[in-house]
Amino acid sequence: MSMPFYVSPEQLMKDRADYARKGIARGRSVVVLQYDDGIAFATENPSRALHKISEIYDRIAFAAVGKYNEFENLRVAGVRYADLRGYSYDRQDVNARGLANAYAQTLGTVFTTESKPLEVELVVAEVGDSAEADQVYRLSYDGSVADEHGYVVMGGEAERLGVLLADGWRPGLPLAEVLDLAVRVLGTPAEGEPRRIPASQLEVAVLDRTRPRRAFRRLSGVALEDLLGAVPQP
């Protein structure tokens, strides 16, 4: 009888983490930024059917990178969680913090008990009555949660793009300037000339605090082109 192959718990966790990080890094980046009237989401995504950015509840949105089938299952579970909680208690009881905690438990359980971790990274965002009341949570493949402020970049070359965002973002920017910054950052390669991503290749959405109930709306077509054209290009 052959001896079973032994791997230390530390090495097993490291291998799972490396596997998940490589899968996430293969995808195109998603950028999330606060602006004066809400929270904006942008990514390069030519598909009109397979969304990386979606509405969860009245004032809560979801953005993800990684394997589509895995984060789509998480999105559906989040919608069910929000609907059930809102129906059982009150719509005001559904918040991004509770949803982020539920996702963290799922991601952490899969990471520690399953043979393969989920190759996903998520942002759960809730728009408040003011910029100070906005909530943005970033969740990693292992279930860790980070409370973010200002901007977030996931997937692709997130670290490099985060440095570019830090140079250009500041509190209180209007929507047009925030989207212009997001598109410029997404179109900046590690080497070579920057490119301007056309509106038809972008997936853009916002949580607009000025809307009365459902804050989420997608921006596409002429509306998006007008916003991107409102800022003079250098």
Side-chain angles (χ1 to χ4, degrees):
M1 181 177 177
S2 61
M3 293 292 292
F5 183 71
Y6 175 76
V7 178
S8 68
E10 293 84 359
Q11 185 63 44
L12 183 61
M13 293 297 108
K14 181 180 182 301
D15 290 344
R16 287 178 178 175
D18 290 343
Y19 179 88
R21 279 196 293 264
K22 288 177 182 177
I24 293 166
R26 283 194 290 266
R28 292 189 175 99
S29 297
V30 174
V31 178
V32 182
L33 308 99
Q34 289 180 276
Y35 68 100
D36 55 355
D37 284 331
I39 304 170
F41 307 78
T43 183
E44 184 177 1
N45 183 12
S47 173
R48 299 296 91 184
L50 306 179
H51 297 302
K52 294 183 177 181
I53 304 162
S54 300
E55 180 183 25
I56 293 289
Y57 210 59
D58 294 346
R59 305 179 74 79
I60 302 174
F62 167 99
V65 293
K67 292 194 71 172
Y68 176 81
N69 65 313
E70 293 181 350
F71 68 67
E72 177 64 10
N73 286 336
L74 291 171
R75 182 194 69 82
V76 172
V79 172
R80 289 174 177 163
Y81 165 90
D83 283 343
L84 180 60
R85 189 167 183 82
Y87 179 77
S88 302
Y89 301 98
D90 187 84
R91 300 188 77 87
Q92 298 298 322
D93 292 324
V94 183
N95 55 54
R97 184 182 295 107
L99 185 61
N101 287 336
Y103 278 143
Q105 292 178 25
T106 300
L107 290 167
T109 300
V110 172
F111 183 77
T112 55
T113 62
E114 301 293 331
S115 59
K116 188 192 87 66
L118 295 177
E119 299 170 60
V120 297
E121 196 168 3
L122 314 176
V123 160
V124 177
E126 179 180 1
V127 68
D129 295 330
S130 65
E132 292 74 21
D134 291 346
Q135 299 179 40
V136 180
Y137 299 101
R138 179 178 183 172
L139 295 102
S140 297
Y141 52 85
D142 60 354
S144 58
V145 184
D147 184 9
E148 301 286 354
H149 301 279
Y151 56 86
V152 184
V153 191
M154 303 183 295
E157 299 177 316
E159 188 173 341
R160 180 180 63 83
L161 299 186
V163 173
L164 298 177
L165 278 182
D167 291 338
W169 184 88
R170 65 181 186 277
L173 285 175
L175 178 58
E177 291 188 26
V178 158
L179 292 182
D180 178 73
L181 172 62
V183 173
R184 282 191 286 110
V185 167
L186 290 171
T188 303
E191 297 179 357
E193 291 295 320
R195 60 192 177 93
R196 187 69 176 179
I197 304 172
S200 60
Q201 301 293 305
L202 291 168
E203 181 183 356
V204 177
V206 296
L207 285 172
D208 185 348
R209 79 175 87 257
T210 64
R211 291 167 67 92
R213 180 169 168 180
R214 294 183 64 183
F216 184 87
R217 64 187 175 102
R218 295 190 182 277
L219 299 174
S220 59
V222 175
L224 179 57
E225 291 174 358
D226 289 345
L227 281 168
L228 294 178
V231 179
Q233 298 302 307

